[in-house]
Every structure is written in C-alpha cells, then in structure tokens.
Amino acid sequence: MRHFDVQIIGGAVLHDGSIAEMKTGEGKTLVSTLAAYLNALTGEGVHVVTVNDYLAQRDAEWMERVHRFLGLSVGLIQRGMIPEERRSNYRCDITYTNNSELGFDYLRDNLAANSEQLVMRWPKPFHFAIVDEVDSVLIDEGRNPLLISGEASKDVARYPVAAKVAELLVQGLHYTVELKNNSVELTEEGIALAEMALETNDLWDENDPWARFVMNALKAKEFYRRDVQYIVRNGKALIINELTGRVEEKRRWSEGIHQAVEAKEGLKIQADSVVVAQITYQSLFKLYPKLSGMTGTAKTEEKEFLKMFQMPVIEVPTNLPNIRVDLPIQSFATARGKWEYARQEVESMFRLGRPVLVGSTSVENSEYLSDLLKQQGIPHNVLNARPKYAAREAETVAQAGRKYAITISTNMAGRGTDIILGGNPKMLAKKIIEDRLLLLLTREALNVEVDDKTSSPKVLSEIKLGSSSLALLAKAALLAKYVGKAEGKSWTYQEAKSFFSESVEMSQSMNLKELQKLIDKQSAMYPLGPTVALTYLSVLKDCEVHCSNEGSEVKRLGGLHVIGTSLHESRRIDNQLRGRAGRQGDPGSTRFMVSLQDEMFQKFSFDTSWAVDLISRITNDEDMPIEGDAIVRQLLGLQISAEKYYFGIRKSLVEFDEVLEVQRKHVYDLRQSILTGANESCSQQIFQYMQAVVDEIIFGNVDPLKHPRYWSLDKLLKEFIAIAGKILDDLFAGISGDTLLKSIEELPELNSIDINNFYFPDLPKPPNLFRGIRRKSSSLKRWLAICSDDLTKNGRYRATTNLLRKYLGDILIASYLNVVQESRYDDVYMKEVERAVLVKTLDCFWRDHLINMNRLSSAVNVRSFGHRNPLEEYKIDGCRFFISMLSATRRLTVESLVQYWSSPMESQELFLS
C-alpha cells in the first residue's frame, strides 16, 4: 500500500492538529499512519481512537506492520482486557483504542487505590490523539457523559408502581409533552390523580418523594420506545446506539430512566446507582495537548469545532472525481405513501440488478420496510440491532455492493466497512472458507436466531472457484475432520471463528513459500492453520476475479443506489449515508424521501400546512411524491434550525461542564500526586492539610483589624484541641483563652524572633521534631508561605495572626510526627496508611460533590424565572461547594490520621479495609 498525494495532504492536516474531512473510501486508516508515526517519535505515546472495538482491532491489525517495520511498537485496547494487558498496551508507542475504553480507563485510574492499579502513562497519560469519526465522538456522543456508578438507593419497588400510575395518566389532559427537549409536565389534574393513586398528599414531599419516579415513568412511556431507543433481550432492556444502530450492553441510562424503562416492560429492575466518576468526551479530549481528527462529514459543524476545540476543518480533495448523482428530495403527505414509494423504488432497482442500500432511523422502521419487500418476494438483507441480523453484519456489508443485493440498515455511520461494488473479495473469501470448514471443527451453532427468510443466496451470482482452490478446500476439510479427533477436545463456535481469523492473518504476514515450508515442517502435526491460510489465498484470487467482473457490470448499471427514508436533524448524518455511494470515483446515486408525518416535524413543531396545501393543489393522491426547490429550501431551513438548537444544548453542556472540568483536574492531579509521588511529597501534603485546617480555625475566630482581646480565643482553643484529639489533651491541659491572650500580649518584636525555635511565652513548646535539613526546610517554607499568602487580612495585628498560624501549625504537625514515631511502625507501613487515608477521604467527598453538582445543574434552571443567569448561578454555587468540599476533606483527613496513630490497633480495620 502506498499513499496517494491526497492522503499525504490528509496526514499533514492531522499533524497540524486539524480535522481532515475525507470522503468515504478515501483511506483514512492509512492516512492516520503518517501523523501517528511522526508524533510517536518523541516516545510520549500516540492514541488512535475509533468508535468501537471492531474498528480499533481492524485498524491495529492493518497498520501495525507499517509501524513495526519503522521500529515502533503498537498496542491495542479492547473490552475485557485485564489491567496488566492494558498497561503494556498503553506503554506502546502507538495505541489503538475506542473512545469509551479510553474514557473509562482514565476514570478507573482516578479511582485506583494505589499506583500499581494504574494502566495509563502517568503522570502524562495524554500526548497526541487522532480521533476517527471525530464528529460522531465529539458532537453526536458529546451530550452523553461517561459515568462510573456505584449502587445507591434501594427504592426499586417504587418504579413498577410509578409505571402503573403513568398508564393511568392521559397526555394532554394529565400531562403535556415537549418532544424537542424530551420533557414532561404534569397538569393540575395530573397531579391530583397521581396523588390520589399513590395515596400521598404531596408528590414532592421530601420524606416521601414520588415526583421523580412518576416523571421518569412518563418519560419512559413517551420518549423511550421499544425497537427504537432500546430492544429487550434475555430479560434486559438494552440501549440501541442511535448513531451506529448497534446494541450497547454495558451502557445504562442514568437518573432512574433505565429503571423506569425496565418497569414499563415488566423486567427485573436493577438498583439505582450513584455517580462515583464522570467526564464528557469534550472534557476528555481537551486533556490532549495536541488533538486531530478524521471524518467524512464535518464541514457543516466547523464553527462548533473551532469554538469548542480550536480545530479547523480542512476539506481534503478526493483522489478521483466524485460522479455520484444526488437526486432531488421527495416529499409525501403521509408515512404510508413514503414507505410504499420506497418499496417501489427498491423493486425497480432490483429489476435492473443495481445494488441498493436503504437507510432507516430505527429497528422498527427497518423491519416495516422488510415486511413490505417480503410481500413482493424481493430478497434482501437487514442490518439492525437485533442479534439475528447483527451476527451477520460482516457478511451483509461484504455482499451489499453485489448485483441484485438489497440491504436495509438502521445506520451506516461507524460500521467501518466500505461497500465495494461487486462485493468485498477478502470478506467473501473468508466466508467461503468458514462455510466449508467451520462445522467440521465445531458442532456448536452460533447462539442467535438467524433470519433466512429475507435473504436468498440464489439471487446473487455464485462465485466460481478454480481447481486449485477446490483441491485445497478438500485438503483443509480432511485435516479439519481429524484435528478435533486428534486433540480430543470440543471446539466452541467462537474458538473456531478465532482460529480462522488467525489463519487469515497468517496469510497476510507470510508468503506462499513460507506457508508451504510450514505445512511440510508440521506434516505430522496436522498443519491446519497454514493449510487454511494457503487455501484462503487461493480462494481470494478467485473472489477478486469474480468481484472485479461483477463490479464492472454494476458500474455499467449505475453503481450503488442509496435511499434515505427520512431526513436526520443534522445534515451531516444524511451526508454520511450519501457518502456510501460513489466511493473512489465509482458511479452511484442517492435519493431521500420524507413524509410530513416524520418525527422531526413533530419534534420541532414545524408548520406543515403549507406543504399539505401545495400537495393537495398538485394532486388528489396523497401518496404521490412532490419534488421542488421550495420544499427543499424549507427542509434545509428546518435542519439548520435543528442543528442550531442542538448546538445550543451542547454549548450549554460544555459551559456547565467547564466548571466541573477545572474542579476535576484539581482533584485528579492531587490524587495522582498522592499515588505516584515520593513518600516525602505525601508527608508534605499532610503537613499542608494540617496547616490549612489550623488556618481555617484561626480565621474563623480572629480578626487582624481588632485587638486580640476581642478575638474568640476560648472557642479557637476548643476547636483546635478537638481536631487533634487525645494527642493535645495533656499538652494544653489548663490552657485557657486568657492564658493565650496574655501570651500574645507578651510577644517580643517580630525582628527579634527566631522563627525556627519560636513559641508563645507561657504556652507549650512544640515537640522538638523539626531536626534535620528536610524538616527545618519544610518548616521554613511553611512560614514563608504564611507570610506571602493573602489569606490574612491587612491590619495592625496581621503579623501576630501569622505567628499564631505558624505556632499552632508547628504544634499540630510536631505532635502528629511524635505520635507516629511512638507507634514504632516502619516507614513503609506508615506511608501506606497515610496514602490510603488521603485517597479514601478525597474519593468519599468527591463522590458526594459530584452528586451535589448534578443536583445543582438541575436546580439552577429554575432560577431563570427570577431573571438570573443559570450558568452564573451554577459557577458561583459550584465554586462554593468545591471550596467547602476541599475544606471538609482536609479536616476529616487530619482527624482520621491523628485518630489512627493515637490508637492504631483500634483504627486499623476502619481505615485500611
């Protein structure tokens, strides 16, 4: 493989930290190697980020030979990998991964209990990233934060009750629906009926809060539709990714929505969860000092990329001119008319022999059209989230460009496989090998229902294999029969599939002579792997000839015809579907159909009366399509309005998340410094905590503008001794506020004080533990920090206040060091305890802070009714919450450590369990 000139341009765009817009089939995977290799030479690591595990694995396997040849190591992150595997892969020069695995690894690293559990390259895990399908990752999935949750509320019994109440309520009478932002609002009648059904006086009663459950049940009823947003499989509600059409088994909706959906479907309800770590993709990728991206459709969102990420979108020209024909949009008065016309168009293309790809927005719609085609006896393939179709995705896409092939797909974005006219020879060759040999190795069938009623292989022309291919297949079949018997084990279906994938990979990395030598060498060991690899190469040649001939015929007929059965809210998604036709200079055509009953019109309250009048003036047949510039302009205007609306939502989310982003960075940086820093830095952190706690107590009771006699010295001493617990009881026995006041008044001039040995007259002297260069230096640094900070107000008694801060800080730190020494534990164990307490306390308060911030983000919207800016309110209160959280963290850490070393045997189980 060599780079075309336009691909080198794409590589330069990526290296420049921009987004390269390259059309489908222009070789983005190969382009990424240019920027990845160049930026990996620094040894700081490069991440190539794709949208799913399959694409990450495919790209890594395709491109690793290039990088290895050039002396770089290549890693791959996949779901299910253990930490050791992840760690070694992140240490490679170039790491292929998908966006969710990368995000969750970052969050898990920031929940790790010790440095041995970290998998990324700390302290600098991010250097340079190339994001494939960057618009999908940063824009489409930008609204969904990555969450790691822990179990929280046990209120699962309320969800089924709320679901029953939701069934009683009638839309329009008891509640109103806002499709645009997926919100519901109860009317007075609805509130009264719900309260009567639940036998409560107040839905919003703090002690018995039913409102959240009822609102979630109504949202599940109105906005979360089976076979559109989710499917039910094996007793579970599984989310369908609206961008890729795939099922996401590990993902759950938050804030009780998933439980409400489970209750609606009568499924077993999983307990509520509480967020313990969260980050949005925008915040995650902003952590990279240098970021770039590739996609086929980003120009329409260039303003957003520039505003949010300072990344321009550069259009890279195609290697060959694009000759695809985009036919005018057809409008229908009814959905029935649209689907009937789509069926007719598919049928007419089928009669010609042209391959057709039909894009639909949901499982429900794809199966509706499939049923219409079955009634006409038109063979076709369906590609959606159902297991019986998803299991055959590779085969379906491989055949989608063949003559007479009809494919109905929920979404082609992120499928990652080009539709090649005449068929994909590599995938077809692998299918032939598996069809002939798979059942000879395993008796286990694929554990999903497969729908054979839609597709008829008889329609597609049979691939003729040469005599050498047939002979090799016969030899491989004979070997396959004996391998199972000789090894005396039963192969699972997945093991057999993996074996064939490895054999195909072997054929790519070895030449014919090397394979034949391996077969001869292992003749006594049943060399099935090398034989399958050799067979694959022979079958591949036959497939290439067949696909080339059939591809030429399909081109003559007009190429792939793409039908869009509705317009998306973003022009970019429609362009992704269009881009499937006319790849690499091939002929092709596209046609979009839209009905005035489509969801987009209802969602944005689009006035369709003018269109209905126009159609009625032209024809009495409501199923007749209408084409025209006026309708296209109106539809385009609606899409632009929708794009602006969703951009506003994403912009608002980013602005809100920026508040949390700063706080998250502070907490995570602090956490990593505790985990990965030296023992001395851990001790310094504790000393800083102790000084900060002392400062808070002093500032709460002292005013530098007033004479010390007006200070609350008794209260100050009481709070100070309470922090230190038993270790100061004896030292400060008999010391009162009056004693402290007298001592302050007897202070000598500041310039005559030896700060290293300073203490107040008539007050306890700090234990003499500031011996040695390190501790003396630490004490002096604290004093310099106290003098230079602006925490103490300017006033006549500023110097006195600072001396009091230094003295009480010295007392607390020295007393702590004294009690730690008296415990007689070794240094390693002591640092373990300190790290564990620091990390666990920080985690505990950060978790609570996330809950408070999520509640705050919902609550501040109400303040807009009082003519207050919700974002400014969120920033102010969020900052106040954060300062309070850090203060509570410091205080509890100090109290816990002092308590632990005062009685280590009693506290051991509490802090280290």
Side-chain angles (χ1 to χ4, degrees):
M1 300 176 84
R2 75 171 287 280
H3 293 87
F4 294 117
D5 292 351
V6 292
Q7 290 178 309
I8 294 172
I9 293 171
V13 170
L14 295 180
H15 176 63
D16 197 40
S18 302
I19 293 170
E21 182 181 271
M22 302 182 70
K23 302 304 178 191
T24 302
E26 290 297 302
K28 292 190 283 291
T29 306
L30 187 61
V31 167
S32 68
T33 58
L34 296 166
Y37 170 74
L38 186 55
N39 286 273
L41 293 177
T42 61
E44 297 173 273
V46 168
H47 297 158
V48 182
V49 185
T50 65
V51 292
N52 58 50
D53 269 356
Y54 162 71
L55 292 180
Q57 183 177 3
R58 185 203 69 177
D59 291 357
E61 288 172 355
W62 275 5
M63 298 301 139
E64 70 173 339
R65 279 168 284 170
V66 176
H67 295 304
R68 291 193 199 283
F69 174 75
L70 293 169
L72 298 182
S73 56
V74 176
L76 171 65
I77 303 296
Q78 295 275 276
R79 180 182 291 175
M81 279 185 171
I82 59 174
E84 288 75 16
E85 291 175 308
R86 290 175 183 271
R87 196 175 298 114
S88 65
N89 282 309
Y90 276 119
R91 293 292 179 277
C92 292
D93 296 308
I94 297 170
T95 304
Y96 286 82
T97 181
N98 74 63
N99 51 334
S100 64
E101 289 297 317
L102 179 72
F104 283 124
D105 279 337
Y106 175 70
L107 291 178
R108 280 191 290 263
D109 271 7
N110 284 293
L111 292 172
N114 54 62
S115 57
E116 286 75 35
Q117 293 177 3
L118 301 176
V119 299
M120 300 185 85
R121 288 176 171 237
W122 295 97
K124 290 185 178 178
F126 303 114
H127 167 53
F128 173 60
I130 300 170
V131 185
D132 192 14
E133 304 292 352
V134 65
D135 53 332
S136 175
V137 174
L138 295 184
I139 292 181
D140 298 329
E141 296 194 34
R143 285 184 283 167
N144 304 320
L146 292 169
L147 306 173
I148 292 181
S149 304
E151 195 169 299
S153 165
K154 304 290 182 184
D155 268 342
V156 293
R158 291 189 178 224
Y159 287 103
V161 178
K164 295 290 184 188
V165 172
E167 288 177 15
L168 295 174
L169 302 177
V170 178
Q171 183 185 342
L173 175 61
H174 299 120
Y175 63 94
T176 57
V177 171
E178 182 62 59
L179 283 170
K180 195 173 180 180
N181 52 17
N182 280 16
S183 65
V184 293
E185 188 175 337
L186 286 167
T187 61
E188 291 295 328
E189 293 84 354
I191 293 170
L193 180 58
E195 286 176 347
M196 184 176 73
L198 294 167
E199 297 179 352
T200 180
N201 294 324
D202 184 2
L203 280 179
W204 285 268
D205 184 350
E206 288 185 10
N207 299 317
D208 189 26
W210 274 103
R212 180 171 71 91
F213 297 95
V214 173
M215 299 303 261
N216 280 346
L218 289 171
K219 286 179 182 178
K221 174 183 173 183
E222 293 295 336
F223 307 126
Y224 294 83
R225 290 176 291 160
R226 186 169 178 165
D227 295 337
V228 179
Q229 277 80 22
Y230 66 94
I231 64 168
V232 175
R233 185 201 299 170
N234 300 329
K236 293 180 180 178
L238 303 177
I239 296 174
I240 298 173
N241 186 316
E242 62 180 328
L243 307 170
T244 64
R246 287 189 174 92
V247 169
E248 298 193 334
E249 298 195 21
K250 300 282 184 181
R251 190 176 146 207
R252 287 178 66 82
W253 288 302
S254 57
E255 299 178 357
I257 292 293
H258 212 104
Q259 288 83 356
V261 170
E262 288 168 336
K264 181 181 84 168
E265 295 290 345
L267 306 172
K268 182 182 177 184
I269 298 169
Q270 295 186 30
D272 268 353
S273 57
V274 60
V275 175
V276 296
Q278 75 177 63
I279 192 169
T280 61
Y281 283 122
Q282 287 101 330
S283 295
L284 176 69
F285 286 102
K286 280 180 184 176
L287 296 172
Y288 284 92
K290 185 176 177 183
L291 179 66
S292 65
M294 311 180 290
T295 181
T297 48
K299 202 65 182 173
T300 56
E301 315 291 345
E302 183 174 22
K303 287 182 181 177
E304 184 165 351
F305 281 117
L306 274 171
K307 187 175 181 65
M308 301 294 185
F309 304 98
Q310 294 74 54
M311 295 166 70
V313 178
I314 311 296
E315 286 185 275
V316 178
T318 55
N319 187 47
L320 295 171
N322 182 2
I323 58 172
R324 184 186 73 222
V325 178
D326 294 326
L327 299 169
I329 297 172
Q330 292 183 329
S331 302
F332 296 83
T334 64
R336 186 193 66 205
K338 178 185 73 174
W339 290 114
E340 181 57 32
Y341 210 82
R343 181 198 62 74
Q344 290 175 20
E345 183 140 341
V346 170
E347 189 173 353
S348 67
M349 291 295 166
F350 175 73
R351 303 295 173 215
L352 290 173
R354 283 184 68 181
V356 179
L357 172 68
V358 185
S360 65
T361 54
S362 67
V363 173
E364 185 180 47
N365 288 340
S366 65
E367 293 182 348
Y368 178 76
L369 181 57
S370 176
D371 290 339
L372 290 179
L373 293 178
K374 282 178 192 175
Q375 290 168 15
Q376 298 300 314
I378 298 173
H380 59 279
N381 286 310
V382 177
L383 188 54
N384 64 30
R386 290 204 192 281
K388 62 183 179 182
Y389 302 126
R392 294 170 54 170
E393 177 175 335
E395 176 194 340
T396 301
V397 176
Q399 308 235 36
R402 296 188 66 188
K403 195 176 178 184
Y404 294 108
I406 308 295
T407 309
I408 303 170
S409 174
T410 45
N411 203 316
M412 288 304 293
R415 297 276 178 201
T417 310
D418 291 344
I419 296 175
I420 302 171
L421 298 186
N424 187 322
K426 289 182 179 179
M427 296 175 83
L428 290 173
K430 187 179 177 186
K431 181 181 182 300
I432 289 170
I433 297 280
E434 289 180 352
D435 286 350
R436 299 285 184 97
L437 304 179
L438 198 60
L439 292 178
L440 297 175
L441 273 185
T442 178
R443 295 294 170 197
E444 180 186 313
L446 179 61
N447 189 27
V448 293
E449 174 195 356
V450 176
D451 187 356
D452 286 322
K453 295 176 183 176
T454 58
S455 179
S456 173
K458 293 176 184 176
V459 178
L460 303 178
S461 59
E462 189 179 348
I463 297 172
K464 292 187 174 72
L465 299 179
S467 56
S468 59
S469 297
L470 292 170
L472 283 167
L473 275 170
K475 182 180 177 182
L478 198 61
L479 283 170
K481 282 180 183 177
Y482 286 103
V483 162
K485 292 179 182 178
E487 293 186 0
K489 73 162 190 173
S490 175
W491 291 51
T492 66
Y493 183 86
Q494 285 304 326
E495 283 174 340
K497 286 276 286 185
S498 298
F499 171 78
F500 285 119
S501 295
E502 288 165 13
S503 300
V504 169
E505 180 61 28
M506 187 190 299
S507 74
Q508 304 296 303
S509 57
M510 301 174 77
N511 58 39
L512 289 170
K513 287 183 180 177
E514 288 172 327
L515 285 171
Q516 191 60 56
K517 196 180 290 184
L518 202 58
I519 291 170
D520 296 339
K521 187 178 178 182
Q522 296 182 354
S523 57
M525 302 270 302
Y526 303 113
L528 182 58
T531 303
V532 169
L534 201 62
T535 307
Y536 171 79
L537 288 175
S538 180
V539 172
L540 178 59
K541 281 185 181 178
D542 295 333
C543 288
E544 284 172 343
V545 171
H546 179 91
C547 291
S548 176
N549 293 334
E550 191 168 306
S552 299
E553 195 175 344
V554 170
K555 287 178 186 177
R556 185 179 55 78
L557 293 170
L560 178 70
H561 183 60
V562 170
I563 300 173
T565 54
S566 67
L567 289 179
H568 195 271
E569 290 146 4
S570 169
R571 290 167 292 167
R572 183 171 42 81
I573 305 298
D574 293 338
N575 290 338
Q576 286 175 357
L577 183 60
R578 285 189 179 99
R580 293 292 162 179
R583 66 180 284 281
Q584 295 186 3
D586 288 341
S589 57
T590 66
R591 164 86 77 189
F592 273 76
M593 302 177 180
V594 61
S595 93
L596 301 180
Q597 294 177 342
D598 285 351
E599 188 177 338
M600 184 170 70
F601 296 109
Q602 300 167 32
K603 205 170 197 178
F604 290 90
S605 304
F606 185 68
D607 181 17
T608 58
S609 58
W610 64 271
V612 173
D613 291 341
L614 178 64
I615 292 170
S616 62
R617 282 202 299 270
I618 295 171
T619 176
N620 292 325
D621 185 359
E622 62 179 14
D623 294 343
M624 179 70 71
I626 299 298
E627 298 173 10
D629 291 340
I631 288 180
V632 170
R633 280 196 301 272
Q634 290 285 342
L635 293 173
L636 187 62
L638 175 59
Q639 281 186 305
I640 292 171
S641 298
E643 287 170 359
K644 286 179 180 176
Y645 172 74
Y646 285 116
F647 170 66
I649 290 176
R650 289 191 296 270
K651 181 170 173 284
S652 175
L653 286 171
V654 167
E655 288 171 342
F656 272 76
D657 194 57
E658 279 172 353
V659 178
L660 202 55
E661 189 179 322
V662 174
Q663 298 174 357
R664 184 192 300 111
K665 189 174 187 314
H666 178 87
V667 169
Y668 284 178
D669 286 351
L670 175 59
R671 203 178 186 284
Q672 289 302 326
S673 71
I674 294 167
L675 287 182
T676 60
N679 288 340
E680 195 60 34
S681 68
C682 191
S683 298
Q684 289 303 319
Q685 189 66 53
I686 290 167
F687 298 162
Q688 286 176 22
Y689 272 21
M690 289 181 169
Q691 184 64 59
V693 169
V694 166
D695 289 348
E696 284 174 13
I697 292 170
I698 289 172
F699 294 138
N701 297 286
V702 164
D703 184 353
L705 299 171
K706 296 179 180 177
H707 190 278
R709 76 170 68 93
Y710 300 110
W711 296 355
S712 305
L713 297 177
D714 283 316
K715 184 166 171 276
L716 186 153
L717 280 172
K718 185 179 178 183
E719 288 180 15
F720 177 65
I721 294 167
I723 281 287
K726 300 176 185 175
I727 65 171
L728 293 182
D729 284 350
D730 295 336
L731 201 61
F732 275 78
I735 303 293
S736 65
D738 291 338
T739 313
L740 179 55
L741 176 60
K742 183 183 174 187
S743 183
I744 290 170
E745 289 174 337
E746 291 175 3
L747 267 179
E749 291 294 322
L750 184 62
N751 54 13
S752 64
I753 291 173
D754 175 10
I755 202 64
N756 282 322
N757 299 302
F758 168 75
Y759 65 98
F760 281 87
D762 304 324
L763 289 181
K765 189 175 180 181
N768 190 18
L769 287 171
F770 291 104
R771 294 187 296 271
I773 295 295
R774 278 188 182 175
R775 286 189 178 166
K776 279 187 177 178
S777 171
S778 170
S779 176
L780 187 58
K781 280 179 182 175
R782 266 191 311 109
W783 171 242
L784 291 173
I786 287 169
C787 291
S788 60
D789 67 32
D790 55 359
L791 297 177
T792 309
K793 291 184 211 169
N794 282 322
R796 184 177 175 185
Y797 299 98
R798 176 186 167 89
T800 306
T801 305
N802 284 341
L803 285 170
L804 186 60
R805 289 169 64 191
K806 172 73 165 64
Y807 168 71
L808 292 181
D810 283 352
I811 286 278
L812 183 57
I813 293 168
S815 300
Y816 171 74
L817 291 171
N818 192 39
V819 78
V820 168
Q821 276 190 3
E822 288 174 358
S823 69
R824 304 198 177 187
Y825 284 102
D826 63 82
D827 281 350
V828 175
Y829 177 74
M830 286 191 289
K831 297 308 170 191
E832 263 183 43
V833 171
E834 288 179 346
R835 273 203 172 91
V837 173
L838 277 166
V839 167
K840 286 192 174 184
T841 311
L842 183 61
D843 285 352
C844 176
F845 280 101
W846 176 244
R847 189 178 301 136
D848 291 344
H849 179 68
L850 285 177
I851 295 169
N852 290 334
M853 291 297 283
N854 285 333
R855 287 174 178 165
L856 177 63
S857 66
S858 301
V860 291
N861 290 320
V862 180
R863 301 185 193 179
S864 60
F865 294 118
H867 303 289
R868 287 148 76 183
N869 186 329
L871 178 60
E872 291 303 316
E873 294 289 310
Y874 182 75
K875 286 179 179 177
I876 293 165
D877 284 0
C879 183
R880 186 166 53 81
F881 284 3
F882 189 62
I883 292 168
S884 175
M885 184 272 288
L886 291 178
S887 172
T889 302
R890 290 191 291 261
R891 186 169 287 237
L892 184 61
T893 301
V894 171
E895 287 176 351
S896 301
L897 284 169
V898 169
Q899 181 185 339
Y900 184 90
W901 295 116
S902 301
S903 50
M905 296 307 291
E906 295 173 20
S907 307
Q908 190 167 5
E909 187 179 339
L910 178 63
F911 294 114
L912 294 179
S913 59

